[in-house]
Amino acid sequence: GSLRSLAVGGSVTLGGVAAATVCLDGGAAGAEYVAVPFHGGDPEDAALTVRMGMQDVVPVAAASPMISPALSLPGARQLDDGWHLRMRDRAARELAPFVDDAVTSAGRGGIRPSYVLDLSAPTVGQQVQVNTSESSCDAPAMHTGRVVAIGQRAIVLADDANPGGGLTDAEYASFAASYDTMVHPAVTAAFGEAGDVDGNGRVVIFFTRAVNELTASGSGEYVGGYFHPRDLFPTRARDGLTACAASNYAEMFYLLVPDPNGVVNGNIFPRELVLRTSLGTLAHELQHLINTSRRLYQVRTSQWREEVWLDEGMSHVAEEVMFYRTSGLSPRQNLDAGQIASNPRAFEAFRSYMDNNTRRFARYLIDPEHRSPYDPPSASSDLATRGAAWAFLRYAADRRGGDEGQLWRALIDGGGTGIANLQQALGVDPRLWARDWTVSVFTDDVVPGIDARFTQPSWHFRSLLSAVPLLTRRVAGPGTENVQIEAGSGGFVRFGVLPAGVATLTARTTGSLPLPSSVFLTIVRTK
């Protein structure tokens, strides 16, 4: 291979050849490098092993752990992301027979249902029957909801069977007002407006013990709320079109309620938790609703369900949108722990809307060789995938520049799904940007003089995240380093070169096979 004399921050990317070989100069004072093999295959591609032969290399110092400010909530119970994946997979199977007819109904003036939930002219105190079943179109589980607040954009219901010690009517009214003034304008500006299947111009927010019942007794995880896609499907057949009989046929959300005495399954949920997290849950679920609604009734595509990793990543972006809205800050400011901790408004916004995003991303950092922003659906219950998907979408929006809302709306209205959808919206192969993003996970805010594509302009993650080091490999000396990586994943191999020395690095896949065109090796001089 050719000799590369890189300055600190300089880099070289190799790929698509039978054997990727490069010689690296140690310079007058010696040098340190990180080699980042990346598997840029499709989500369904198998893992592979990159064999890195390294000659004339020396060890480097152990990596420092990330700084650990007290921004995250200590001991906070984690959201049960796996439940959402199971519910959405079930809904996809159960709703599949109705999709074409639902899409067709949009071009025929819609199918007006025999309402399960009639809130066409709501009044405070009105009682309605709501199906809360996890099932889509049969086996309804009816709960009685009382209208407790009516806003311009939201109707808030409280379940008559909720445990004692819950929210007051004034607090319910504050949720309606906050939805009107913060959640709806912020999220729809980013992702577009949902449809209005029930014709009342509002979403329905149902605070119900049915959500609490989804958390098993003693579980360390909990369900904070959800949107069920069946509620966008018509309830009554007409002109030969089939329908989803148990749909509530309304844009609606189901939210956790306070349970200070653990009446439901023995799980205690303080009022403070519900008050602090519900708006973030609404923002997250509103993106899901918009994505599904627009695909069914504006784009009118049978591909109504975005791939899980991308849909969830966008909903985590919606939570981030709420952070910027409520903190008064904006993207591309490289926000660090000190800036947030010293600003009470930003601190509370971070705890309400960003705590879970950064916790999930920290899980990716523990094992970047086997985690990816675009893991296949069977793995997308993994918290690390969601964290990586959000962080990668943030990186992509920053790198693309301009109006972020154009990117998010293009992903919803383009009619595609997954990698192909992201490529259409970005105009470039997102797997190449994922390669550069993977490098940036190591180099951002650490390596001076680094190219902009290896930075993350919005967040100073090394100061924000919990005290968990990014998984790296530190070579002991000359030899072979075998790095097994999944599609969309990469590894970080750190090594040094002695003063006036020259190291040789050669990368191949396992055995004598050539390096696939989807596999890249980026080497950055770090010191």
Side-chain angles (χ1 to χ4, degrees), residues 437-497:
W437 170 78
T438 302
V439 177
S440 78
V441 169
F442 184 97
T443 58
D444 183 51
D445 292 311
V446 171
V447 180
I450 196 71
D451 190 277
R453 73 182 187 277
F454 299 139
T455 65
Q456 300 183 20
S458 288
W459 296 100
H460 193 303
F461 282 118
R462 285 185 179 264
S463 83
L464 286 170
L465 294 175
S466 301
V468 54
L470 171 67
L471 176 68
T472 65
R473 296 168 177 252
R474 185 165 59 106
V475 301
T480 300
E481 192 76 18
N482 295 323
V483 184
Q484 185 184 63
I485 45 179
E486 304 285 341
S489 302
F492 304 97
V493 180
R494 301 170 58 234
F495 61 94
V497 183

Side-chain angles (χ1 to χ4, degrees), residues 150-173:
I150 303 172
Q152 292 296 312
R153 293 286 189 174
I155 302 166
V156 181
L157 306 180
D159 193 331
D160 279 354
N162 283 342
L167 303 179
T168 66
D169 284 1
E171 287 167 334
Y172 287 128

Side-chain angles (χ1 to χ4, degrees), residues 117 128-132 141-145 157 206 248 252 254:
L117 179 64
V128 292
Q129 295 298 302
V130 184
N131 175 25
T132 64
M142 307 307 294
H143 282 236
T144 300
L157 306 180
F206 188 27
N248 288 306
M252 71 176 298
Y254 308 82

Side-chain angles (χ1 to χ4, degrees), residues 156-301:
V156 181
L157 306 180
D159 193 331
D160 279 354
N162 283 342
L167 303 179
T168 66
D169 284 1
E171 287 167 334
Y172 287 128
S174 75
F175 276 114
S178 294
Y179 185 88
D180 285 355
T181 60
M182 292 194 299
V183 179
H184 180 269
V187 178
T188 58
F191 300 100
E193 291 277 0
D196 185 20
V197 294
D198 55 354
N200 64 6
R202 299 177 174 93
V203 300
V204 178
I205 303 170
F206 188 27
F207 285 88
T208 172
R209 66 173 287 152
V211 174
N212 300 54
E213 292 168 0
L214 298 172
T215 300
S217 177
S219 174
E221 299 179 327
Y222 74 101
V223 178
Y226 63 94
F227 149 73
H228 201 306
R230 59 107 190 279
D231 290 325
L232 297 182
F233 282 69
T235 62
R236 187 177 63 190
R238 174 185 288 183
D239 299 333
L241 301 180
T242 55
C244 180
S247 167
N248 288 306
Y249 206 57
E251 288 78 18
M252 71 176 298
F253 309 104
Y254 308 82
L255 291 185
L256 183 80
V257 297
D259 189 359
N261 299 310
V263 172
V264 181
N265 296 340
N267 292 315
I268 293 175
F269 290 105
R271 283 167 36 84
E272 187 275 335
L273 174 71
V274 174
L275 290 169
R276 179 175 53 80
T277 62
S278 293
L279 291 181
T281 300
L282 284 171
H284 181 107
E285 300 302 329
L286 178 55
Q287 190 286 136
H288 287 319
L289 187 155
I290 292 169
N291 209 323
T292 304
S293 173
R294 292 190 66 82
R295 285 169 179 270
L296 283 172
Y297 297 124
Q298 275 74 40
V299 183
R300 296 175 60 193
T301 174

Side-chain angles (χ1 to χ4, degrees), residues 25 27 50 121 141 165 199 233 255 331 340 370 391 412 419 428 432 463 482:
D25 189 352
V50 176
F233 282 69
L255 291 185
I340 294 172
H370 300 100
I412 293 175
I419 291 289
V428 297
L432 298 182
S463 83
N482 295 323

Side-chain angles (χ1 to χ4, degrees), residues 13-16 35-42 48 50 52 364 368-369 371-374 392 419 429-439 483 485-492 507 509 515-522:
T13 298
L14 308 173
V36 187
F38 176 76
H39 181 357
D42 291 323
L48 54 80
V50 176
M52 300 174 59
Y364 162 82
E369 296 175 6
R371 296 293 178 262
S372 155
Y374 52 84
F392 173 59
I419 291 289
D429 187 341
R431 290 162 293 201
L432 298 182
W433 280 20
R435 174 198 66 192
D436 295 345
W437 170 78
T438 302
V439 177
V483 184
I485 45 179
E486 304 285 341
S489 302
F492 304 97
T509 53
L515 199 64
S517 60
S518 63
V519 175
F520 299 90
L521 180 66
T522 300

